[in-house]
Coordinates of all heavy atoms in Angstrom, one line a residue:
P2 N 92.4 -177.2 4.3 CA 93.7 -177.7 4.7 C 94.9 -176.8 4.5 O 95.8 -176.8 5.3 CB 93.8 -179.0 4.0 CG 92.5 -179.3 3.4 CD 91.7 -178.0 3.3
D3 N 94.8 -176.1 3.3 CA 96.0 -175.2 3.0 C 96.0 -174.1 4.0 O 97.1 -173.7 4.4 CB 95.9 -174.7 1.6 CG 96.0 -175.7 0.5 OD1 96.6 -176.8 0.8 OD2 95.5 -175.6 -0.6
Y4 N 94.9 -173.5 4.4 CA 94.8 -172.4 5.3 C 95.3 -172.9 6.7 O 96.1 -172.1 7.4 CB 93.5 -171.8 5.4 CG 93.4 -170.7 6.5 CD1 94.1 -169.5 6.2 CD2 92.7 -170.8 7.7 CE1 94.1 -168.4 7.2 CE2 92.8 -169.8 8.6 CZ 93.4 -168.7 8.3 OH 93.4 -167.7 9.4
I5 N 94.9 -174.1 7.1 CA 95.4 -174.5 8.5 C 96.9 -174.8 8.5 O 97.5 -174.3 9.4 CB 94.6 -175.9 8.8 CG1 93.1 -175.6 9.0 CG2 95.2 -176.5 10.0 CD1 92.3 -176.8 9.1
A6 N 97.4 -175.3 7.4 CA 98.8 -175.6 7.4 C 99.6 -174.3 7.3 O 100.6 -174.1 7.9 CB 99.2 -176.4 6.1
A7 N 99.1 -173.3 6.5 CA 99.8 -171.9 6.5 C 99.7 -171.3 7.8 O 100.7 -170.7 8.3 CB 99.1 -171.1 5.4
L8 N 98.5 -171.3 8.5 CA 98.3 -170.7 9.8 C 99.3 -171.3 10.8 O 100.0 -170.5 11.5 CB 96.9 -170.8 10.3 CG 96.6 -170.2 11.6 CD1 96.5 -168.7 11.4 CD2 95.3 -170.7 12.1
L9 N 99.5 -172.6 10.8 CA 100.4 -173.2 11.7 C 101.9 -172.8 11.4 O 102.7 -172.9 12.3 CB 100.2 -174.7 11.7 CG 98.9 -175.2 12.3 CD1 98.7 -176.7 12.1 CD2 98.8 -174.9 13.8
N10 N 102.2 -172.5 10.2 CA 103.6 -172.2 9.8 C 103.8 -170.6 9.8 O 104.9 -170.2 9.6 CB 103.8 -172.6 8.3 CG 104.2 -174.0 8.3 OD1 105.1 -174.4 8.8 ND2 103.4 -174.8 7.5
G11 N 102.8 -169.9 10.1 CA 102.8 -168.4 9.9 C 103.3 -167.6 11.1 O 103.4 -166.4 11.1
Y12 N 103.7 -168.3 12.2 CA 104.2 -167.6 13.4 C 105.6 -167.0 13.1 O 106.5 -167.7 12.7 CB 104.2 -168.4 14.6 CG 102.9 -168.8 15.1 CD1 102.2 -169.9 14.6 CD2 102.2 -168.0 16.0 CE1 100.9 -170.2 15.0 CE2 100.9 -168.3 16.5 CZ 100.3 -169.4 16.0 OH 99.0 -169.7 16.4
R13 N 105.8 -165.7 13.3 CA 106.9 -165.0 13.1 C 107.1 -163.8 14.1 O 106.2 -163.5 14.9 CB 107.0 -164.3 11.7 CG 106.7 -165.1 10.5 CD 107.9 -165.8 10.0 NE 107.6 -166.4 8.6 CZ 107.0 -167.5 8.5 NH1 106.5 -168.1 9.5 NH2 106.8 -168.0 7.3
E14 N 108.3 -163.3 14.2 CA 108.5 -162.1 14.9 C 107.8 -160.9 14.2 O 107.9 -160.9 12.9 CB 110.0 -161.7 15.1 CG 110.7 -162.7 16.0 CD 110.2 -162.6 17.5 OE1 109.9 -161.4 18.0 OE2 110.0 -163.7 18.1
P15 N 107.1 -160.0 14.8 CA 106.4 -159.0 14.2 C 107.5 -158.0 13.5 O 108.6 -157.8 14.0 CB 105.6 -158.2 15.2 CG 106.2 -158.6 16.5 CD 106.9 -159.9 16.3
P16 N 107.1 -157.4 12.3 CA 108.0 -156.5 11.7 C 108.2 -155.2 12.5 O 107.3 -154.9 13.4 CB 107.3 -156.2 10.4 CG 105.9 -156.5 10.6 CD 105.8 -157.5 11.7
P17 N 109.3 -154.5 12.3 CA 109.5 -153.3 13.1 C 108.3 -152.3 12.9 O 107.8 -152.1 11.9 CB 110.7 -152.6 12.4 CG 111.4 -153.8 11.7 CD 110.3 -154.7 11.3
G18 N 107.8 -151.8 14.1 CA 106.8 -150.8 14.1 C 105.4 -151.5 14.3 O 104.4 -150.8 14.5
F19 N 105.3 -152.8 14.2 CA 104.0 -153.4 14.4 C 103.9 -153.8 15.8 O 104.7 -154.5 16.4 CB 104.0 -154.7 13.6 CG 102.6 -155.4 13.5 CD1 101.7 -155.1 12.6 CD2 102.2 -156.3 14.5 CE1 100.4 -155.7 12.5 CE2 101.0 -156.9 14.5 CZ 100.1 -156.5 13.5
T20 N 102.8 -153.3 16.5 CA 102.5 -153.6 17.9 C 101.6 -154.8 18.1 O 100.5 -154.8 17.6 CB 102.0 -152.3 18.6 OG1 102.9 -151.3 18.3 CG2 101.8 -152.5 20.1
V21 N 102.0 -155.7 18.8 CA 101.2 -156.9 19.2 C 100.7 -156.7 20.6 O 101.5 -156.5 21.5 CB 102.0 -158.2 19.1 CG1 101.2 -159.4 19.5 CG2 102.6 -158.4 17.7
P22 N 99.4 -156.7 20.8 CA 98.9 -156.5 22.2 C 99.3 -157.6 23.1 O 99.5 -158.7 22.6 CB 97.3 -156.4 21.9 CG 97.1 -157.1 20.6 CD 98.4 -156.9 19.8
P23 N 99.2 -157.4 24.4 CA 99.4 -158.4 25.4 C 98.5 -159.7 25.1 O 97.4 -159.5 24.8 CB 99.0 -157.8 26.7 CG 99.2 -156.3 26.4 CD 98.8 -156.1 25.1
G24 N 99.1 -160.8 25.2 CA 98.3 -162.1 24.9 C 98.1 -162.4 23.4 O 97.6 -163.4 23.1
G25 N 98.7 -161.5 22.6 CA 98.6 -161.8 21.1 C 99.9 -162.4 20.6 O 101.0 -162.2 21.2
H26 N 99.8 -162.9 19.5 CA 101.0 -163.5 18.8 C 100.9 -163.1 17.3 O 99.8 -163.2 16.6 CB 101.1 -165.0 18.9 CG 101.0 -165.4 20.3 ND1 102.2 -165.5 21.2 CD2 100.0 -165.7 21.1 CE1 101.8 -165.9 22.3 NE2 100.6 -166.0 22.4
Y27 N 102.1 -162.8 16.7 CA 102.0 -162.3 15.3 C 102.0 -163.5 14.4 O 102.8 -164.5 14.6 CB 103.3 -161.5 15.1 CG 103.4 -161.0 13.6 CD1 102.6 -159.8 13.3 CD2 104.1 -161.5 12.6 CE1 102.6 -159.3 12.0 CE2 104.1 -161.1 11.3 CZ 103.4 -159.9 11.0 OH 103.4 -159.4 9.7
N28 N 101.1 -163.5 13.4 CA 101.0 -164.6 12.4 C 100.8 -163.9 11.0 O 99.8 -163.2 10.9 CB 99.9 -165.6 12.7 CG 99.9 -166.8 11.9 OD1 99.8 -166.7 10.7 ND2 100.1 -167.9 12.6
V29 N 101.6 -164.2 10.1 CA 101.5 -163.5 8.8 C 100.3 -164.0 8.0 O 99.8 -163.2 7.1 CB 102.8 -163.8 7.9 CG1 104.0 -163.2 8.5 CG2 103.0 -165.3 7.7
Y30 N 99.7 -165.1 8.4 CA 98.5 -165.6 7.6 C 97.2 -165.4 8.2 O 96.1 -165.6 7.7 CB 98.7 -167.1 7.3 CG 99.9 -167.3 6.5 CD1 101.0 -168.0 6.9 CD2 100.0 -166.9 5.1 CE1 102.1 -168.3 6.2 CE2 101.1 -167.1 4.3 CZ 102.2 -167.8 4.9 OH 103.3 -168.0 4.1
F31 N 97.1 -164.9 9.5 CA 95.9 -164.6 10.2 C 95.4 -163.3 9.9 O 96.2 -162.3 9.8 CB 96.1 -164.8 11.7 CG 94.9 -164.7 12.5 CD1 94.0 -165.9 12.5 CD2 94.5 -163.7 13.2 CE1 92.9 -165.9 13.3 CE2 93.3 -163.7 14.0 CZ 92.5 -164.8 13.9
P32 N 94.1 -163.1 9.6 CA 93.7 -161.7 9.3 C 94.0 -160.8 10.4 O 93.7 -161.0 11.6 CB 92.1 -161.9 9.2 CG 91.9 -163.4 8.8 CD 93.1 -164.1 9.5
G33 N 94.5 -159.6 10.1 CA 94.9 -158.6 11.1 C 96.3 -159.0 11.7 O 96.9 -158.2 12.4
H34 N 96.9 -160.2 11.4 CA 98.2 -160.6 11.8 C 98.3 -160.8 13.3 O 99.5 -161.1 13.8 CB 99.3 -159.7 11.3 CG 99.2 -159.5 9.8 ND1 99.5 -160.6 8.9 CD2 99.0 -158.5 9.0 CE1 99.3 -160.2 7.8 NE2 99.1 -158.9 7.7
V35 N 97.3 -160.7 14.1 CA 97.4 -160.9 15.6 C 96.4 -162.1 15.9 O 95.2 -161.9 15.7 CB 97.1 -159.6 16.4 CG1 97.1 -159.9 17.9 CG2 98.1 -158.5 16.1
I36 N 96.9 -163.0 16.6 CA 96.2 -164.2 16.9 C 96.4 -164.5 18.4 O 97.5 -164.3 18.9 CB 96.5 -165.5 16.0 CG1 95.6 -166.7 16.3 CG2 98.0 -165.9 16.2 CD1 95.8 -167.8 15.3
A37 N 95.3 -165.0 19.1 CA 95.5 -165.2 20.6 C 96.2 -166.6 20.8 O 96.9 -166.7 21.8 CB 94.2 -165.2 21.3
M38 N 96.1 -167.5 19.9 CA 96.7 -168.9 20.1 C 98.2 -168.8 20.0 O 98.8 -168.3 19.0 CB 96.2 -169.8 19.0 CG 96.7 -171.2 19.1 SD 96.0 -172.4 17.9 CE 96.7 -171.8 16.4
P39 N 98.9 -169.3 21.0 CA 100.4 -169.3 20.9 C 100.8 -170.3 19.9 O 100.0 -171.2 19.5 CB 100.9 -169.6 22.3 CG 99.7 -170.1 23.0 CD 98.4 -169.6 22.3
K40 N 102.1 -170.2 19.5 CA 102.6 -171.1 18.5 C 102.5 -172.6 19.0 O 103.1 -172.9 20.0 CB 104.0 -170.8 18.2 CG 104.7 -171.6 17.1 CD 106.1 -171.2 16.9 CE 106.7 -172.1 15.8 NZ 108.1 -171.7 15.4
P41 N 101.7 -173.5 18.4 CA 101.5 -174.8 18.9 C 102.5 -175.8 18.6 O 102.6 -176.9 19.2 CB 100.1 -175.2 18.4 CG 100.1 -174.5 17.0 CD 100.8 -173.2 17.2
L42 N 103.4 -175.5 17.5 CA 104.3 -176.6 17.1 C 105.7 -176.0 17.1 O 105.9 -174.8 16.8 CB 103.9 -177.0 15.7 CG 102.5 -177.6 15.5 CD1 102.2 -177.8 14.0 CD2 102.4 -178.9 16.2
T43 N 106.7 -176.9 17.3 CA 108.1 -176.6 17.3 C 108.8 -177.7 16.6 O 108.4 -178.8 16.7 CB 108.7 -176.2 18.6 OG1 108.6 -177.4 19.4 CG2 108.1 -175.0 19.2
D44 N 110.0 -177.4 15.9 CA 110.8 -178.4 15.2 C 111.2 -179.5 16.3 O 111.5 -179.2 17.4 CB 111.9 -177.9 14.7 CG 111.7 -177.1 13.3 OD1 110.6 -177.2 12.8 OD2 112.6 -176.3 12.9
G45 N 111.1 -180.8 15.9 CA 111.6 -181.8 16.8 C 110.6 -182.2 17.9 O 110.9 -183.0 18.7
Q46 N 109.5 -181.6 17.9 CA 108.5 -181.8 19.0 C 107.9 -183.2 18.9 O 107.6 -183.8 20.0 CB 107.4 -180.8 18.9 CG 106.3 -180.9 19.9 CD 105.3 -179.7 19.7 OE1 105.3 -179.0 18.8 NE2 104.3 -179.6 20.6
I47 N 107.8 -183.8 17.8 CA 107.2 -185.1 17.6 C 108.2 -186.0 16.9 O 108.9 -185.6 15.9 CB 105.9 -185.1 16.7 CG1 104.9 -184.1 17.4 CG2 105.4 -186.4 16.4 CD1 103.7 -183.7 16.5
E48 N 108.4 -187.2 17.4 CA 109.3 -188.1 16.8 C 108.6 -189.1 16.0 O 107.8 -189.9 16.5 CB 110.2 -188.8 17.9 CG 111.3 -189.6 17.4 CD 112.1 -190.2 18.5 OE1 112.4 -189.5 19.5 OE2 112.5 -191.3 18.4
Y49 N 108.9 -189.2 14.7 CA 108.3 -190.2 13.8 C 109.0 -191.5 14.0 O 110.3 -191.4 14.3 CB 108.4 -189.7 12.3 CG 107.5 -188.5 12.0 CD1 108.0 -187.2 11.9 CD2 106.1 -188.7 11.9 CE1 107.1 -186.2 11.5 CE2 105.2 -187.6 11.6 CZ 105.7 -186.4 11.4 OH 104.9 -185.3 11.2
P50 N 108.4 -192.6 13.7 CA 109.1 -193.9 13.7 C 110.3 -193.9 12.8 O 110.2 -193.3 11.7 CB 108.0 -194.9 13.4 CG 106.7 -194.3 13.6 CD 107.0 -192.8 13.4
K51 N 111.4 -194.4 13.2 CA 112.6 -194.4 12.4 C 112.6 -195.5 11.4 O 112.0 -196.6 11.6 CB 113.9 -194.5 13.3 CG 114.0 -193.3 14.3 CD 114.1 -192.0 13.6 CE 114.4 -190.9 14.7 NZ 113.9 -189.6 14.4
R52 N 113.3 -195.3 10.3 CA 113.6 -196.4 9.3 C 114.7 -197.3 9.9 O 115.4 -196.9 10.9 CB 114.1 -195.8 8.1 CG 113.2 -194.9 7.3 CD 113.8 -194.5 6.0 NE 112.8 -193.6 5.3 CZ 113.2 -192.4 4.8 NH1 114.4 -192.0 4.8 NH2 112.3 -191.8 4.0
P53 N 115.0 -198.4 9.4 CA 116.0 -199.4 9.9 C 117.4 -198.7 9.9 O 118.2 -199.0 10.8 CB 116.0 -200.5 8.9 CG 114.6 -200.5 8.4 CD 114.2 -199.1 8.3
D54 N 117.7 -197.7 9.0 CA 119.0 -197.1 9.1 C 119.0 -196.0 10.1 O 120.0 -195.2 10.2 CB 119.3 -196.5 7.7 CG 118.5 -195.4 7.2 OD1 117.6 -195.0 7.9 OD2 118.8 -194.9 6.1
G55 N 117.9 -195.7 10.9 CA 118.0 -194.7 11.9 C 117.5 -193.3 11.5 O 117.4 -192.4 12.3
T56 N 117.1 -193.1 10.2 CA 116.7 -191.8 9.8 C 115.1 -191.7 9.9 O 114.4 -192.8 9.8 CB 117.1 -191.6 8.3 OG1 116.5 -192.5 7.4 CG2 118.6 -191.5 8.2
A57 N 114.6 -190.6 10.0 CA 113.1 -190.3 10.0 C 112.6 -190.4 8.6 O 113.3 -190.0 7.6 CB 112.8 -189.0 10.6
P58 N 111.4 -191.0 8.4 CA 110.8 -191.1 7.1 C 110.5 -189.7 6.4 O 110.4 -189.5 5.2 CB 109.6 -191.9 7.2 CG 109.3 -191.8 8.6 CD 110.6 -191.5 9.4
V59 N 110.2 -188.7 7.3 CA 109.9 -187.3 6.8 C 110.6 -186.4 7.8 O 111.0 -186.8 8.9 CB 108.4 -187.1 6.8 CG1 107.7 -187.9 5.8 CG2 107.8 -187.3 8.2
P60 N 110.9 -185.1 7.4 CA 111.5 -184.2 8.3 C 110.7 -183.9 9.5 O 109.5 -183.9 9.4 CB 111.6 -182.9 7.4 CG 111.3 -183.3 6.1 CD 110.6 -184.6 6.0
E61 N 111.3 -183.8 10.7 CA 110.6 -183.5 11.9 C 110.6 -182.1 12.1 O 111.2 -181.5 13.0 CB 111.3 -184.3 13.1 CG 111.1 -185.8 12.8 CD 111.8 -186.7 13.9 OE1 112.5 -186.1 14.8 OE2 111.6 -187.8 13.9
T62 N 109.8 -181.3 11.2 CA 109.8 -179.9 11.3 C 108.4 -179.4 11.4 O 107.4 -180.1 11.2 CB 110.3 -179.4 9.9 OG1 109.5 -179.8 8.9 CG2 111.8 -179.7 9.7
V63 N 108.2 -178.1 11.7 CA 106.9 -177.5 11.9 C 106.1 -177.6 10.6 O 105.0 -177.9 10.6 CB 107.0 -176.0 12.4 CG1 105.6 -175.2 12.3 CG2 107.5 -175.9 13.7
E64 N 106.9 -177.4 9.5 CA 106.2 -177.5 8.1 C 105.6 -178.8 7.9 O 104.4 -179.0 7.5 CB 107.2 -177.2 7.0 CG 106.6 -177.1 5.7 CD 107.6 -176.8 4.6 OE1 108.7 -176.2 4.9 OE2 107.3 -177.1 3.4
Q65 N 106.3 -179.9 8.3 CA 105.8 -181.2 8.1 C 104.6 -181.5 9.1 O 103.6 -182.1 8.7 CB 106.9 -182.3 8.3 CG 106.4 -183.7 8.1 CD 106.0 -184.0 6.7 OE1 106.7 -183.7 5.7 NE2 104.8 -184.6 6.5
Y66 N 104.8 -181.1 10.3 CA 103.7 -181.3 11.3 C 102.4 -180.6 10.9 O 101.4 -181.1 11.0 CB 104.2 -180.8 12.7 CG 105.4 -181.4 13.3 CD1 106.2 -180.7 14.2 CD2 105.8 -182.7 12.9 CE1 107.3 -181.2 14.7 CE2 106.9 -183.2 13.6 CZ 107.7 -182.5 14.4 OH 108.8 -183.0 15.0
A67 N 102.6 -179.4 10.3 CA 101.4 -178.7 9.9 C 100.7 -179.4 8.7 O 99.5 -179.4 8.8 CB 101.8 -177.2 9.5
R68 N 101.4 -179.9 7.8 CA 100.8 -180.6 6.8 C 100.1 -181.9 7.3 O 99.0 -182.2 6.9 CB 101.8 -181.0 5.7 CG 102.2 -179.9 4.8 CD 103.0 -180.4 3.6 NE 104.2 -181.2 4.0 CZ 105.4 -180.9 3.7 NH1 105.7 -179.8 3.0 NH2 106.4 -181.6 4.1
D69 N 100.7 -182.6 8.2 CA 100.1 -183.7 8.8 C 98.8 -183.4 9.6 O 97.8 -184.1 9.5 CB 101.1 -184.4 9.8 CG 102.2 -185.1 9.0 OD1 102.2 -185.2 7.8 OD2 103.2 -185.4 9.7
V70 N 98.8 -182.3 10.3 CA 97.6 -181.9 11.1 C 96.5 -181.5 10.1 O 95.3 -181.9 10.3 CB 98.0 -180.7 12.0 CG1 96.7 -180.0 12.6 CG2 98.8 -181.2 13.2
A71 N 96.8 -180.8 9.2 CA 95.9 -180.3 8.2 C 95.2 -181.5 7.4 O 94.1 -181.6 7.2 CB 96.5 -179.3 7.2
A72 N 96.1 -182.5 7.1 CA 95.6 -183.7 6.4 C 94.7 -184.5 7.3 O 93.6 -185.0 6.9 CB 96.7 -184.6 5.9
F73 N 95.0 -184.6 8.6 CA 94.2 -185.3 9.5 C 92.9 -184.6 9.7 O 91.8 -185.2 9.7 CB 94.8 -185.5 10.9 CG 93.9 -186.0 11.9 CD1 93.6 -187.3 11.9 CD2 93.4 -185.2 12.9 CE1 92.7 -187.9 12.9 CE2 92.5 -185.7 13.8 CZ 92.1 -187.0 13.9
L74 N 92.9 -183.2 9.8 CA 91.6 -182.6 10.1 C 90.7 -182.7 8.8 O 89.5 -182.7 8.9 CB 91.9 -181.1 10.4 CG 92.5 -180.9 11.8 CD1 92.9 -179.4 11.9 CD2 91.6 -181.4 12.9
M75 N 91.3 -182.7 7.6 CA 90.5 -182.9 6.4 C 89.9 -184.2 6.4 O 88.7 -184.4 6.1 CB 91.4 -182.7 5.2 CG 90.7 -182.7 3.9 SD 89.5 -181.5 3.7 CE 88.4 -182.2 2.5
W76 N 90.7 -185.2 6.8 CA 90.1 -186.6 6.9 C 89.0 -186.7 7.9 O 88.0 -187.3 7.7 CB 91.2 -187.6 7.2 CG 90.6 -189.0 7.4 CD1 90.3 -189.9 6.5 CD2 90.3 -189.5 8.7 NE1 89.8 -191.0 7.1 CE2 89.7 -190.8 8.4 CE3 90.3 -189.1 10.0 CZ2 89.3 -191.7 9.5 CZ3 89.9 -189.9 11.0 CH2 89.4 -191.2 10.7
A77 N 89.2 -186.1 9.1 CA 88.2 -186.1 10.1 C 86.9 -185.4 9.7 O 85.9 -185.8 10.1 CB 88.8 -185.4 11.4
A78 N 87.0 -184.4 8.9 CA 85.9 -183.7 8.4 C 85.1 -184.5 7.3 O 83.9 -184.4 7.3 CB 86.3 -182.3 7.7
E79 N 85.8 -185.3 6.5 CA 85.2 -186.1 5.6 C 85.8 -187.5 5.5 O 86.5 -187.7 4.5 CB 85.2 -185.4 4.2 CG 84.4 -184.2 4.1 CD 84.0 -183.9 2.7 OE1 83.6 -184.9 2.0 OE2 84.1 -182.8 2.3
P80 N 85.6 -188.4 6.5 CA 86.3 -189.6 6.5 C 85.9 -190.6 5.3 O 86.6 -191.5 5.0 CB 85.9 -190.2 7.8 CG 84.6 -189.6 8.2 CD 84.7 -188.2 7.6
N81 N 84.7 -190.3 4.7 CA 84.3 -191.1 3.5 C 84.6 -190.5 2.2 O 84.1 -191.0 1.2 CB 82.8 -191.3 3.6 CG 82.4 -192.1 4.9 OD1 83.1 -193.0 5.3 ND2 81.4 -191.6 5.6
L82 N 85.4 -189.5 2.2 CA 85.7 -188.8 0.9 C 86.4 -189.8 -0.1 O 85.9 -189.7 -1.3 CB 86.7 -187.6 1.2 CG 87.2 -186.9 -0.1 CD1 85.9 -186.1 -0.7 CD2 88.2 -185.9 0.3
E83 N 87.3 -190.5 0.2 CA 88.0 -191.4 -0.7 C 87.0 -192.5 -1.2 O 87.0 -192.7 -2.5 CB 89.1 -192.1 -0.1 CG 90.3 -191.2 0.2 CD 90.8 -190.5 -1.0 OE1 91.0 -191.1 -2.0 OE2 91.1 -189.3 -0.9
A84 N 86.1 -193.0 -0.4 CA 85.1 -194.0 -0.9 C 84.1 -193.3 -1.8 O 83.8 -193.8 -2.9 CB 84.3 -194.6 0.3
R85 N 83.7 -192.0 -1.6 CA 82.9 -191.3 -2.4 C 83.4 -191.1 -3.8 O 82.8 -191.2 -4.8 CB 82.4 -190.0 -1.8 CG 81.3 -190.1 -0.9 CD 80.7 -188.7 -0.5 NE 81.6 -187.8 0.0 CZ 82.0 -186.6 -0.6 NH1 81.5 -186.3 -1.8 NH2 82.9 -185.8 -0.1
K86 N 84.7 -190.8 -3.8 CA 85.4 -190.5 -5.1 C 85.5 -191.8 -5.9 O 85.4 -191.8 -7.1 CB 86.9 -190.0 -4.8 CG 86.9 -188.6 -4.4 CD 88.3 -188.1 -4.2 CE 88.4 -186.7 -3.8 NZ 89.8 -186.2 -3.7
R87 N 85.8 -193.0 -5.2 CA 85.8 -194.2 -5.9 C 84.5 -194.6 -6.5 O 84.4 -195.1 -7.7 CB 86.4 -195.4 -5.0 CG 87.8 -195.3 -4.9 CD 88.2 -196.7 -4.2 NE 87.6 -196.9 -2.9 CZ 88.2 -196.5 -1.8 NH1 89.3 -195.8 -1.8 NH2 87.6 -196.7 -0.6
I88 N 83.5 -194.3 -5.8 CA 82.1 -194.7 -6.2 C 81.6 -193.8 -7.4 O 81.0 -194.3 -8.4 CB 81.1 -194.7 -5.1 CG1 81.4 -195.8 -4.0 CG2 79.7 -194.8 -5.6 CD1 80.5 -195.6 -2.8
G89 N 81.9 -192.5 -7.2 CA 81.5 -191.5 -8.3 C 82.3 -191.6 -9.5 O 82.1 -191.4 -10.6

């Protein structure tokens, strides 16, 4: 989950002198720093349900979305993890 969150947060402009081939995107956490997948998340892309005072319960940022995606994928990979921990 940490790598997935980092990968989703790792999109940047390439440093001076670094050449990104056509169809590639610079990512600081991807091996070789060139990934074919374009940046999938942007700030404000998803609206979380608001509190009664009108504020969001968590920041609507790429960093938060990445943590949420990684947590969901971890749960999807092992939906019984919590039950196993309780039993063990």
